[in-house]
Amino acid sequence: QDFNAHTSFGSLCTMVQEVQLRRRYESSLPGRFSMREFGVLIYPFDSKEYFALRPCTSDDDAKSQLYLLQHSEPCPKCGIRVQRDFEASACPEVSCPKCRTSFRCVRVGAGHEIRGLSVQARQQLCRVISAAAQAAEELEKDRLRLSQLLGHDATVLSDVFSFLAQGRQSFTLPDLRRALTHLQLRLSERNLNLMWSRYAPYGSATVGFRDFIRQLKPLTKAGPI
């Protein structure tokens, strides 16, 4: 409303369900975003923030990870993240507390300053949310169409899964690439990884039938499209 967006409430609800479908946390609440889920929505798929948020087990953990990314740098030897104290901002040299390696660190702790989003940033956030809501609504329409075309024949998707997994209990990223190539569907490596991240549970190298079918079932009851 603040920026004259024309996104319906129904689209926003579908967007929340869609994000929770993509990255299900144990603490997910129907119709409500956690900070981790909101981060999955707004950060680019290949950003360091996105990858930092995915394994977080709580919103407090997510806040800590995002703070470290913004206000610390990794040690060049052991990789542990290090930051300078706000009071020591004039001295760029730090010593890693783990391996004692000295290196130049240009990032400083945030101190106690809390800043809100600028008007431009809020406008862009509104655009991202609006685009995500519209995309989620279109994807749900596609799932509903698929459900109506298949009817009660559950064996069709089982056959598709068997084709991907070559008769095994799960399929891998190379299996997905092979199947798409066989069907003459060419995707960039980035888009292929985007597709894979939707179906594969976090940290898993395989996709089972349950995770596969969960992404294809409508989130809402079938009706006129």
Side-chain angles (χ1 to χ4, degrees):
Q1 292 178 348
D2 291 343
F3 298 103
N4 297 317
H6 301 288
T7 305
S8 69
F9 179 73
S11 295
L12 291 173
C13 291
T14 303
M15 178 192 70
V16 173
Q17 292 177 299
E18 179 64 30
V19 172
Q20 291 180 340
L21 178 67
R22 284 164 47 194
R23 181 64 177 102
R24 172 66 66 179
Y25 294 101
E26 292 182 359
S27 58
S28 292
L29 296 174
R32 298 184 63 181
F33 263 155
S34 68
M35 179 181 173
R36 292 164 291 165
E37 291 162 345
F38 188 63
V40 167
L41 171 68
I42 65 172
Y43 286 115
F45 163 75
D46 49 4
S47 68
K48 58 183 182 296
E49 290 85 1
Y50 184 94
F51 283 104
L53 286 173
R54 289 198 73 185
C56 291
T57 56
S58 69
D59 280 356
D60 287 338
D61 187 15
K63 292 175 185 177
S64 296
Q65 290 298 321
L66 292 176
Y67 177 88
L68 287 173
L69 285 175
Q70 186 174 3
H71 300 292
S72 67
E73 294 186 20
C75 169
K77 183 175 181 180
C78 70
I80 189 173
R81 300 198 73 90
V82 180
Q83 74 172 38
R84 288 183 289 152
D85 291 336
F86 188 72
E87 293 79 6
S89 58
C91 179
E93 294 297 323
V94 296
S95 179
C96 175
K98 182 178 181 180
C99 67
R100 312 310 300 175
T101 298
S102 295
F103 64 98
R104 187 181 181 87
C105 178
V106 299
R107 302 202 179 193
V108 182
H112 301 290
E113 181 183 6
I114 299 178
R115 295 180 297 175
L117 293 176
S118 66
V119 174
Q120 292 81 4
R122 283 186 287 144
Q123 288 176 330
Q124 184 59 32
L125 178 59
C126 180
R127 294 189 190 100
V128 170
I129 292 175
S130 179
Q134 292 175 23
E137 190 171 36
E138 289 303 313
L139 185 56
E140 179 63 5
K141 288 179 180 178
D142 285 337
R143 279 192 289 253
L144 286 168
R145 291 189 186 100
L146 177 63
S147 175
Q148 291 175 352
L149 288 171
L150 295 180
H152 299 288
D153 189 3
T155 61
V156 176
L157 290 180
S158 179
D159 290 342
V160 172
F161 179 83
S162 295
F163 169 69
L164 290 169
Q166 294 185 302
R168 302 190 304 270
Q169 297 297 313
S170 61
F171 65 87
T172 63
L173 179 58
D175 289 329
L176 179 60
R177 184 186 291 110
R178 170 195 55 78
L180 293 174
T181 301
H182 176 79
L183 297 172
Q184 298 183 351
L185 298 173
R186 305 293 180 180
L187 294 181
S188 67
E189 198 64 22
R190 185 177 188 275
N191 286 341
L192 182 65
N193 285 321
L194 275 169
M195 180 184 291
W196 176 254
S197 70
R198 166 173 288 278
Y199 290 95
Y202 174 74
S204 176
T206 60
V207 174
F209 183 71
R210 182 179 179 182
D211 292 311
F212 173 72
I213 202 73
R214 190 163 70 95
Q215 298 295 331
L216 298 174
K217 285 184 176 180
L219 299 171
T220 56
K221 292 182 179 180
I225 299 178

Coordinates of all heavy atoms in Angstrom, one line a residue, residues 48-139:
K48 N 26.2 -15.3 -0.9 CA 26.8 -15.9 0.3 C 25.8 -15.9 1.5 O 25.8 -16.7 2.4 CB 28.1 -15.2 0.7 CG 28.0 -13.7 1.0 CD 29.3 -13.1 1.3 CE 29.3 -11.6 1.6 NZ 28.8 -10.8 0.4
E49 N 24.9 -14.9 1.4 CA 23.9 -14.8 2.5 C 22.9 -16.0 2.4 O 22.5 -16.5 3.4 CB 23.1 -13.5 2.3 CG 23.9 -12.2 2.7 CD 24.7 -11.7 1.6 OE1 24.7 -12.3 0.5 OE2 25.4 -10.7 1.8
Y50 N 22.5 -16.3 1.1 CA 21.6 -17.4 0.9 C 22.2 -18.7 1.5 O 21.5 -19.5 2.2 CB 21.3 -17.5 -0.6 CG 20.3 -18.6 -0.9 CD1 18.9 -18.3 -1.0 CD2 20.6 -19.9 -1.1 CE1 18.0 -19.2 -1.4 CE2 19.7 -20.9 -1.5 CZ 18.3 -20.5 -1.6 OH 17.4 -21.5 -1.9
F51 N 23.5 -19.0 1.1 CA 24.1 -20.2 1.6 C 24.3 -20.2 3.1 O 24.3 -21.3 3.7 CB 25.4 -20.4 0.8 CG 25.2 -20.9 -0.6 CD1 25.4 -20.1 -1.6 CD2 24.9 -22.2 -0.8 CE1 25.2 -20.5 -2.9 CE2 24.7 -22.7 -2.1 CZ 24.9 -21.8 -3.2
A52 N 24.5 -19.0 3.7 CA 24.7 -18.9 5.1 C 23.4 -19.2 5.9 O 23.4 -19.8 7.0 CB 25.2 -17.6 5.5
L53 N 22.3 -18.8 5.3 CA 21.0 -19.0 5.9 C 20.5 -20.5 5.9 O 19.8 -20.9 6.8 CB 19.9 -18.1 5.3 CG 20.1 -16.6 5.7 CD1 19.1 -15.8 4.9 CD2 19.8 -16.4 7.2
R54 N 20.8 -21.2 4.8 CA 20.2 -22.5 4.6 C 20.4 -23.5 5.8 O 19.5 -24.2 6.2 CB 20.7 -23.1 3.3 CG 20.1 -22.4 2.1 CD 20.3 -23.2 0.8 NE 19.3 -24.4 0.8 CZ 19.3 -25.3 -0.1 NH1 20.2 -25.3 -1.1 NH2 18.4 -26.3 0.0
P55 N 21.6 -23.6 6.3 CA 21.8 -24.6 7.4 C 21.4 -24.1 8.8 O 21.4 -24.8 9.8 CB 23.3 -24.9 7.4 CG 23.9 -23.6 6.9 CD 22.9 -23.0 5.9
C56 N 21.0 -22.8 8.9 CA 20.6 -22.2 10.2 C 19.5 -23.0 10.8 O 18.5 -23.3 10.2 CB 20.3 -20.8 10.1 SG 21.7 -19.7 9.7
T57 N 19.6 -23.3 12.1 CA 18.5 -24.0 12.8 C 17.6 -23.1 13.6 O 16.6 -23.6 14.2 CB 19.1 -25.0 13.8 OG1 20.0 -24.3 14.7 CG2 20.0 -26.1 13.0
S58 N 17.9 -21.8 13.7 CA 17.0 -20.9 14.4 C 17.2 -19.5 13.8 O 18.2 -19.2 13.1 CB 17.3 -20.9 15.9 OG 18.5 -20.3 16.1
D59 N 16.2 -18.6 14.0 CA 16.4 -17.2 13.6 C 17.5 -16.5 14.3 O 18.1 -15.7 13.7 CB 15.1 -16.5 13.8 CG 14.0 -16.8 12.7 OD1 14.4 -17.5 11.8 OD2 12.9 -16.3 12.8
D60 N 17.8 -16.9 15.5 CA 18.9 -16.2 16.2 C 20.2 -16.6 15.5 O 21.1 -15.8 15.4 CB 18.9 -16.7 17.7 CG 17.8 -16.0 18.5 OD1 17.4 -15.0 18.1 OD2 17.5 -16.6 19.6
D61 N 20.3 -17.9 15.1 CA 21.5 -18.4 14.4 C 21.6 -17.6 13.1 O 22.7 -17.2 12.7 CB 21.3 -19.9 14.1 CG 22.6 -20.5 13.5 OD1 23.7 -19.8 13.5 OD2 22.5 -21.6 13.0
A62 N 20.5 -17.4 12.4 CA 20.5 -16.7 11.1 C 20.9 -15.2 11.3 O 21.7 -14.7 10.5 CB 19.1 -16.7 10.5
K63 N 20.5 -14.6 12.4 CA 20.9 -13.2 12.6 C 22.4 -13.1 12.9 O 23.1 -12.2 12.4 CB 20.2 -12.6 13.8 CG 18.7 -12.4 13.6 CD 18.0 -12.0 14.9 CE 16.5 -11.8 14.7 NZ 15.8 -11.5 16.0
S64 N 22.9 -14.1 13.6 CA 24.4 -14.2 13.9 C 25.2 -14.4 12.6 O 26.2 -13.7 12.4 CB 24.7 -15.3 14.9 OG 24.1 -15.1 16.1
Q65 N 24.7 -15.3 11.7 CA 25.4 -15.5 10.5 C 25.4 -14.3 9.6 O 26.4 -14.0 8.9 CB 24.7 -16.7 9.7 CG 25.0 -18.0 10.4 CD 26.4 -18.4 10.5 OE1 27.2 -18.2 9.6 NE2 26.8 -19.0 11.6
L66 N 24.3 -13.6 9.5 CA 24.2 -12.4 8.6 C 25.1 -11.3 9.2 O 25.7 -10.5 8.4 CB 22.8 -11.9 8.5 CG 21.8 -12.8 7.7 CD1 20.4 -12.3 7.7 CD2 22.3 -13.0 6.3
Y67 N 25.1 -11.2 10.5 CA 26.0 -10.2 11.1 C 27.5 -10.5 10.8 O 28.2 -9.5 10.5 CB 25.8 -10.2 12.7 CG 26.7 -9.2 13.4 CD1 26.3 -7.8 13.6 CD2 27.9 -9.6 13.9 CE1 27.1 -6.9 14.2 CE2 28.7 -8.7 14.5 CZ 28.3 -7.4 14.7 OH 29.2 -6.5 15.3
L68 N 27.8 -11.7 11.0 CA 29.2 -12.1 10.7 C 29.6 -11.8 9.2 O 30.7 -11.4 8.9 CB 29.5 -13.6 11.0 CG 29.5 -13.9 12.5 CD1 29.6 -15.4 12.7 CD2 30.7 -13.2 13.2
L69 N 28.7 -12.1 8.3 CA 29.0 -11.8 6.9 C 29.2 -10.3 6.6 O 30.1 -10.0 5.8 CB 27.9 -12.4 6.0 CG 27.8 -13.9 5.8 CD1 26.6 -14.2 5.0 CD2 29.1 -14.4 5.1
Q70 N 28.5 -9.5 7.3 CA 28.5 -8.1 7.1 C 29.7 -7.4 7.8 O 30.3 -6.4 7.3 CB 27.2 -7.4 7.5 CG 27.1 -5.9 7.1 CD 25.8 -5.4 7.4 OE1 24.9 -6.0 7.9 NE2 25.6 -4.1 7.1
H71 N 30.1 -7.9 9.0 CA 31.0 -7.2 9.8 C 32.3 -8.0 10.2 O 32.9 -7.7 11.2 CB 30.3 -6.8 11.1 CG 29.1 -5.9 10.9 ND1 29.2 -4.6 10.5 CD2 27.8 -6.1 11.1 CE1 28.0 -4.1 10.4 NE2 27.1 -5.0 10.7
S72 N 32.6 -9.0 9.4 CA 33.8 -9.8 9.7 C 34.4 -10.3 8.4 O 33.7 -10.2 7.3 CB 33.5 -11.0 10.6 OG 32.7 -11.9 10.0
E73 N 35.6 -10.8 8.4 CA 36.3 -11.3 7.2 C 36.9 -12.7 7.6 O 37.3 -12.9 8.8 CB 37.4 -10.4 6.7 CG 36.8 -9.1 6.2 CD 37.9 -8.2 5.6 OE1 39.0 -8.8 5.2 OE2 37.7 -7.0 5.4
P74 N 37.0 -13.6 6.7 CA 37.6 -14.9 7.0 C 39.1 -14.9 7.1 O 39.7 -14.2 6.3 CB 37.1 -15.8 5.8 CG 36.9 -14.8 4.7 CD 36.5 -13.5 5.3
C75 N 39.6 -15.6 8.0 CA 41.1 -15.7 8.1 C 41.6 -16.4 6.9 O 41.1 -17.4 6.4 CB 41.4 -16.6 9.4 SG 43.2 -17.0 9.4
P76 N 42.7 -15.9 6.2 CA 43.2 -16.5 5.0 C 43.8 -17.9 5.2 O 43.9 -18.6 4.2 CB 44.2 -15.5 4.5 CG 44.6 -14.8 5.8 CD 43.4 -14.7 6.6
K77 N 44.0 -18.3 6.4 CA 44.6 -19.6 6.7 C 43.6 -20.6 7.1 O 43.6 -21.7 6.5 CB 45.7 -19.5 7.7 CG 46.5 -20.8 8.0 CD 47.6 -20.6 9.0 CE 48.4 -21.9 9.2 NZ 49.5 -21.8 10.1
C78 N 42.8 -20.3 8.1 CA 41.9 -21.3 8.6 C 40.4 -21.1 8.3 O 39.6 -22.0 8.5 CB 42.1 -21.5 10.2 SG 41.5 -20.1 11.1
G79 N 40.1 -19.9 7.8 CA 38.8 -19.6 7.4 C 37.8 -19.1 8.5 O 36.7 -18.6 8.2
I80 N 38.2 -19.1 9.8 CA 37.3 -18.6 10.8 C 37.1 -17.1 10.6 O 38.1 -16.4 10.2 CB 37.9 -18.9 12.2 CG1 36.9 -18.5 13.3 CG2 39.2 -18.1 12.5 CD1 37.3 -18.9 14.7
R81 N 35.9 -16.6 10.9 CA 35.6 -15.2 10.6 C 36.1 -14.3 11.8 O 35.9 -14.7 13.0 CB 34.1 -15.0 10.4 CG 33.6 -15.8 9.1 CD 32.3 -15.3 8.6 NE 32.4 -14.0 8.0 CZ 32.7 -13.8 6.7 NH1 32.8 -14.9 5.9 NH2 32.8 -12.6 6.2
V82 N 36.7 -13.2 11.4 CA 37.3 -12.3 12.4 C 36.8 -10.9 12.2 O 36.7 -10.5 11.0 CB 38.9 -12.4 12.4 CG1 39.5 -11.4 13.4 CG2 39.3 -13.8 12.6
Q83 N 36.6 -10.1 13.2 CA 36.3 -8.7 13.0 C 37.1 -7.9 14.0 O 37.6 -8.4 15.0 CB 34.8 -8.5 13.3 CG 34.4 -8.5 14.7 CD 32.9 -8.1 14.9 OE1 32.1 -8.4 14.1 NE2 32.7 -7.4 16.0
R84 N 37.2 -6.6 13.7 CA 37.9 -5.7 14.6 C 36.8 -5.1 15.5 O 35.7 -4.8 15.1 CB 38.6 -4.5 13.8 CG 39.8 -5.0 13.1 CD 40.5 -3.8 12.4 NE 39.7 -3.4 11.2 CZ 39.7 -2.1 10.8 NH1 40.4 -1.2 11.4 NH2 39.0 -1.8 9.7
D85 N 37.2 -4.8 16.7 CA 36.3 -4.1 17.6 C 36.0 -2.7 17.1 O 36.9 -2.1 16.4 CB 36.9 -4.0 19.0 CG 37.0 -5.3 19.7 OD1 36.2 -6.2 19.3 OD2 37.9 -5.5 20.6
F86 N 34.9 -2.2 17.4 CA 34.5 -0.8 17.0 C 35.5 0.2 17.5 O 35.8 1.2 16.8 CB 33.1 -0.5 17.5 CG 32.5 0.7 16.9 CD1 32.1 0.8 15.6 CD2 32.3 1.9 17.7 CE1 31.5 2.0 15.1 CE2 31.8 3.0 17.2 CZ 31.4 3.1 15.9
E87 N 36.0 0.0 18.7 CA 36.9 0.9 19.3 C 38.3 0.9 18.6 O 39.1 1.8 18.7 CB 37.1 0.7 20.8 CG 35.9 0.9 21.6 CD 34.8 -0.2 21.5 OE1 35.1 -1.2 20.9 OE2 33.7 0.0 22.1
A88 N 38.6 -0.2 17.9 CA 39.9 -0.3 17.3 C 39.8 -0.1 15.8 O 40.6 -0.7 15.0 CB 40.5 -1.7 17.6
S89 N 38.9 0.7 15.3 CA 38.7 0.9 13.9 C 39.9 1.5 13.2 O 40.0 1.4 12.0 CB 37.4 1.8 13.7 OG 37.6 3.0 14.3
A90 N 40.7 2.2 13.9 CA 41.9 2.9 13.3 C 43.0 1.9 13.0 O 43.9 2.2 12.2 CB 42.4 4.0 14.1
C91 N 43.0 0.7 13.5 CA 44.1 -0.3 13.3 C 43.6 -1.4 12.5 O 42.7 -2.2 12.9 CB 44.6 -0.8 14.7 SG 45.9 -2.0 14.5
P92 N 44.0 -1.6 11.2 CA 43.5 -2.6 10.4 C 44.1 -4.0 10.6 O 43.6 -5.0 10.0 CB 43.8 -2.1 9.0 CG 45.1 -1.4 9.2 CD 45.0 -0.7 10.5
E93 N 45.1 -4.2 11.4 CA 45.8 -5.5 11.6 C 45.1 -6.2 12.7 O 44.8 -5.7 13.8 CB 47.2 -5.3 11.9 CG 48.1 -4.7 10.8 CD 48.1 -5.6 9.6 OE1 48.2 -6.9 9.7 OE2 48.1 -5.1 8.4
V94 N 44.7 -7.5 12.4 CA 44.1 -8.4 13.4 C 44.9 -9.7 13.5 O 45.6 -10.1 12.5 CB 42.6 -8.7 13.1 CG1 41.8 -7.4 13.1 CG2 42.5 -9.4 11.7
S95 N 44.7 -10.4 14.5 CA 45.3 -11.7 14.7 C 44.2 -12.8 14.9 O 43.3 -12.6 15.7 CB 46.2 -11.7 15.9 OG 46.8 -13.0 16.1
C96 N 44.2 -13.8 14.1 CA 43.2 -14.8 14.2 C 43.2 -15.5 15.5 O 44.2 -16.0 16.0 CB 43.4 -15.9 13.1 SG 42.2 -17.3 13.1
P97 N 42.1 -15.6 16.2 CA 42.1 -16.2 17.6 C 42.3 -17.7 17.5 O 42.6 -18.3 18.6 CB 40.7 -15.9 18.1 CG 39.8 -15.7 16.9 CD 40.7 -15.1 15.9
K98 N 42.2 -18.3 16.4 CA 42.3 -19.8 16.3 C 43.7 -20.2 15.9 O 44.3 -21.0 16.6 CB 41.3 -20.3 15.3 CG 41.3 -21.9 15.1 CD 40.3 -22.4 14.1 CE 40.3 -23.9 14.0 NZ 39.3 -24.4 13.1
C99 N 44.2 -19.6 14.8 CA 45.5 -20.1 14.3 C 46.6 -19.0 14.5 O 47.8 -19.2 14.1 CB 45.5 -20.5 12.8 SG 45.1 -19.1 11.7
R100 N 46.2 -17.8 15.0 CA 47.1 -16.7 15.3 C 47.7 -16.1 14.0 O 48.7 -15.3 14.1 CB 48.3 -17.2 16.2 CG 47.9 -18.0 17.4 CD 46.8 -17.3 18.2 NE 47.1 -16.0 18.7 CZ 46.3 -15.1 19.3 NH1 45.0 -15.5 19.5 NH2 46.7 -14.0 19.8
T101 N 47.2 -16.3 12.9 CA 47.6 -15.7 11.7 C 47.3 -14.2 11.7 O 46.1 -13.8 12.0 CB 47.0 -16.3 10.4 OG1 47.4 -17.7 10.4 CG2 47.5 -15.6 9.1
S102 N 48.2 -13.3 11.3 CA 47.9 -11.9 11.3 C 47.6 -11.5 9.9 O 48.2 -12.0 8.9 CB 49.2 -11.1 11.7 OG 49.5 -11.3 13.1
F103 N 46.6 -10.7 9.7 CA 46.2 -10.2 8.4 C 45.4 -8.9 8.5 O 45.0 -8.5 9.6 CB 45.3 -11.3 7.7 CG 44.0 -11.6 8.3 CD1 42.8 -11.0 7.8 CD2 43.9 -12.4 9.4 CE1 41.6 -11.3 8.4 CE2 42.7 -12.7 10.0 CZ 41.5 -12.1 9.5
R104 N 45.2 -8.3 7.4 CA 44.6 -7.0 7.3 C 43.0 -7.2 7.2 O 42.6 -7.9 6.3 CB 45.1 -6.2 6.1 CG 44.5 -4.7 6.0 CD 45.1 -4.0 4.8 NE 44.6 -2.7 4.7 CZ 45.2 -1.6 5.3 NH1 46.3 -1.8 6.0 NH2 44.7 -0.4 5.1
C105 N 42.3 -6.6 8.1 CA 40.8 -6.7 8.2 C 40.2 -5.3 8.1 O 40.4 -4.5 9.0 CB 40.4 -7.4 9.5 SG 38.6 -7.6 9.7
V106 N 39.5 -5.1 7.0 CA 38.9 -3.7 6.8 C 37.6 -3.6 7.4 O 37.0 -2.5 7.5 CB 38.9 -3.4 5.3 CG1 40.3 -3.4 4.7 CG2 38.0 -4.4 4.6
R107 N 37.0 -4.7 7.8 CA 35.6 -4.6 8.4 C 35.7 -4.4 9.9 O 36.5 -5.0 10.6 CB 34.8 -5.9 8.1 CG 34.7 -6.1 6.6 CD 33.6 -7.0 6.2 NE 33.5 -7.2 4.8 CZ 32.5 -7.7 4.2 NH1 31.4 -8.1 4.9 NH2 32.5 -7.9 2.9
V108 N 34.7 -3.6 10.4 CA 34.7 -3.2 11.8 C 33.3 -3.6 12.3 O 32.3 -3.6 11.6 CB 34.9 -1.7 12.0 CG1 34.9 -1.4 13.4 CG2 36.2 -1.3 11.3
G109 N 33.2 -4.0 13.6 CA 32.0 -4.3 14.3 C 31.0 -3.1 14.1 O 31.4 -2.0 14.1
A110 N 29.7 -3.5 14.2 CA 28.7 -2.4 13.9 C 28.5 -1.5 15.1 O 27.8 -0.5 14.9 CB 27.4 -3.1 13.6
G111 N 29.1 -1.8 16.3 CA 28.8 -0.9 17.4 C 27.3 -1.1 17.8 O 26.7 -2.1 17.7
H112 N 26.7 0.0 18.2 CA 25.3 0.0 18.7 C 24.4 0.7 17.7 O 23.2 1.0 18.0 CB 25.2 0.6 20.1 CG 26.1 -0.1 21.1 ND1 25.8 -1.4 21.5 CD2 27.2 0.2 21.7 CE1 26.7 -1.8 22.4 NE2 27.6 -0.8 22.5
E113 N 24.9 1.1 16.5 CA 24.0 1.8 15.6 C 23.1 0.9 14.9 O 23.4 -0.2 14.4 CB 24.9 2.5 14.6 CG 24.1 3.3 13.6 CD 25.0 4.0 12.5 OE1 26.2 3.7 12.5 OE2 24.5 4.8 11.7
I114 N 21.8 1.3 14.8 CA 20.8 0.5 14.1 C 20.2 1.4 13.1 O 19.6 2.5 13.4 CB 19.7 0.0 15.1 CG1 20.3 -1.0 16.1 CG2 18.6 -0.8 14.3 CD1 19.4 -1.5 17.1
R115 N 20.2 1.0 11.8 CA 19.7 1.9 10.8 C 18.5 1.1 10.1 O 18.6 -0.1 9.9 CB 20.8 2.2 9.7 CG 21.9 3.1 10.3 CD 22.9 3.4 9.2 NE 23.6 2.1 8.8 CZ 24.5 2.1 7.8 NH1 24.8 3.2 7.1 NH2 25.0 0.9 7.4
G116 N 17.6 1.9 9.7 CA 16.4 1.4 8.9 C 16.7 1.4 7.4 O 17.8 1.9 7.0
L117 N 15.8 0.8 6.6 CA 16.0 0.8 5.2 C 15.7 2.2 4.6 O 14.8 2.9 5.1 CB 15.0 -0.2 4.6 CG 15.3 -1.7 4.9 CD1 14.2 -2.5 4.3 CD2 16.6 -2.1 4.4
S118 N 16.4 2.5 3.6 CA 16.2 3.8 2.9 C 14.9 3.6 2.1 O 14.4 2.5 1.9 CB 17.3 4.1 1.9 OG 17.4 3.1 0.9
V119 N 14.3 4.7 1.6 CA 13.1 4.7 0.8 C 13.4 3.9 -0.5 O 12.5 3.0 -0.9 CB 12.7 6.1 0.4 CG1 11.5 6.1 -0.6 CG2 12.3 6.9 1.6
Q120 N 14.5 4.0 -1.1 CA 14.9 3.3 -2.3 C 14.9 1.8 -2.0 O 14.4 0.9 -2.8 CB 16.2 3.7 -2.9 CG 16.2 5.1 -3.5 CD 16.3 6.2 -2.4 OE1 16.5 5.9 -1.2 NE2 16.2 7.5 -2.9
A121 N 15.5 1.4 -0.9 CA 15.6 0.0 -0.5 C 14.2 -0.6 -0.2 O 14.0 -1.7 -0.6 CB 16.5 -0.2 0.7
R122 N 13.4 0.2 0.4 CA 12.0 -0.3 0.7 C 11.2 -0.5 -0.6 O 10.5 -1.5 -0.8 CB 11.3 0.6 1.6 CG 11.8 0.5 3.1 CD 10.9 1.3 4.0 NE 11.3 2.7 3.9 CZ 10.4 3.7 4.0 NH1 9.1 3.5 4.1 NH2 10.8 5.0 3.9
Q123 N 11.4 0.4 -1.6 CA 10.8 0.3 -2.8 C 11.2 -1.0 -3.6 O 10.4 -1.7 -4.1 CB 11.0 1.5 -3.7 CG 10.3 2.8 -3.3 CD 10.7 4.0 -4.1 OE1 11.8 4.1 -4.6 NE2 9.8 4.9 -4.2
Q124 N 12.5 -1.2 -3.6 CA 13.1 -2.4 -4.2 C 12.6 -3.7 -3.5 O 12.3 -4.7 -4.2 CB 14.6 -2.4 -4.3 CG 15.2 -3.5 -5.0 CD 14.8 -3.6 -6.5 OE1 14.5 -2.6 -7.1 NE2 14.7 -4.8 -7.0
L125 N 12.5 -3.7 -2.2 CA 12.0 -4.8 -1.5 C 10.6 -5.1 -1.8 O 10.2 -6.3 -2.0 CB 12.1 -4.6 0.1 CG 11.6 -5.7 1.0 CD1 12.3 -7.0 0.7 CD2 11.8 -5.3 2.4
C126 N 9.8 -4.0 -2.0 CA 8.4 -4.2 -2.4 C 8.3 -4.8 -3.8 O 7.5 -5.7 -4.0 CB 7.7 -2.8 -2.4 SG 6.0 -2.8 -2.9
R127 N 9.2 -4.4 -4.7 CA 9.2 -5.0 -6.0 C 9.5 -6.5 -6.0 O 8.9 -7.3 -6.7 CB 10.2 -4.3 -6.9 CG 9.8 -2.8 -7.2 CD 10.8 -2.3 -8.3 NE 10.6 -0.8 -8.4 CZ 11.4 0.1 -7.9 NH1 12.5 -0.3 -7.2 NH2 11.2 1.4 -8.1
V128 N 10.5 -6.9 -5.2 CA 10.9 -8.3 -5.0 C 9.7 -9.1 -4.5 O 9.4 -10.2 -5.0 CB 12.1 -8.4 -4.1 CG1 12.4 -9.9 -3.8 CG2 13.4 -7.8 -4.8
I129 N 9.1 -8.6 -3.5 CA 8.0 -9.4 -2.9 C 6.8 -9.5 -3.9 O 6.2 -10.5 -4.0 CB 7.5 -8.7 -1.6 CG1 8.6 -8.8 -0.5 CG2 6.2 -9.3 -1.1 CD1 8.3 -8.0 0.8
S130 N 6.5 -8.4 -4.6 CA 5.5 -8.4 -5.6 C 5.8 -9.4 -6.7 O 4.9 -10.2 -7.1 CB 5.2 -7.0 -6.2 OG 4.2 -7.0 -7.1
A131 N 7.0 -9.4 -7.2 CA 7.4 -10.4 -8.2 C 7.4 -11.8 -7.7 O 6.9 -12.7 -8.5 CB 8.8 -10.0 -8.8
A132 N 7.8 -12.0 -6.5 CA 7.8 -13.4 -5.9 C 6.4 -13.9 -5.8 O 6.1 -15.0 -6.0 CB 8.5 -13.4 -4.6
A133 N 5.5 -13.0 -5.3 CA 4.1 -13.4 -5.2 C 3.4 -13.8 -6.5 O 2.7 -14.8 -6.6 CB 3.3 -12.2 -4.5
Q134 N 3.7 -13.0 -7.5 CA 3.1 -13.3 -8.8 C 3.7 -14.6 -9.4 O 2.9 -15.4 -10.0 CB 3.4 -12.1 -9.8 CG 2.7 -10.9 -9.5 CD 3.1 -9.7 -10.4 OE1 3.6 -9.9 -11.5 NE2 2.9 -8.5 -9.9
A135 N 5.0 -14.8 -9.2 CA 5.6 -16.1 -9.7 C 5.1 -17.3 -8.9 O 4.8 -18.3 -9.5 CB 7.1 -16.0 -9.5
A136 N 4.9 -17.1 -7.6 CA 4.3 -18.2 -6.8 C 2.9 -18.6 -7.2 O 2.5 -19.7 -7.3 CB 4.3 -17.8 -5.3
E137 N 2.1 -17.5 -7.6 CA 0.7 -17.8 -8.0 C 0.7 -18.5 -9.3 O -0.1 -19.4 -9.6 CB 0.0 -16.4 -8.1 CG -1.5 -16.6 -8.3 CD -2.2 -15.3 -8.2 OE1 -1.7 -14.2 -8.7 OE2 -3.4 -15.3 -7.7
E138 N 1.6 -18.1 -10.3 CA 1.7 -18.8 -11.6 C 2.1 -20.2 -11.4 O 1.6 -21.1 -12.1 CB 2.6 -18.0 -12.5 CG 2.1 -16.7 -13.0 CD 0.7 -16.9 -13.7 OE1 0.6 -17.8 -14.6 OE2 -0.2 -16.1 -13.4
L139 N 3.1 -20.5 -10.6 CA 3.6 -21.8 -10.3 C 2.5 -22.7 -9.7 O 2.3 -23.9 -10.1 CB 4.8 -21.8 -9.4 CG 5.5 -23.1 -9.2 CD1 5.9 -23.8 -10.5 CD2 6.7 -22.9 -8.3

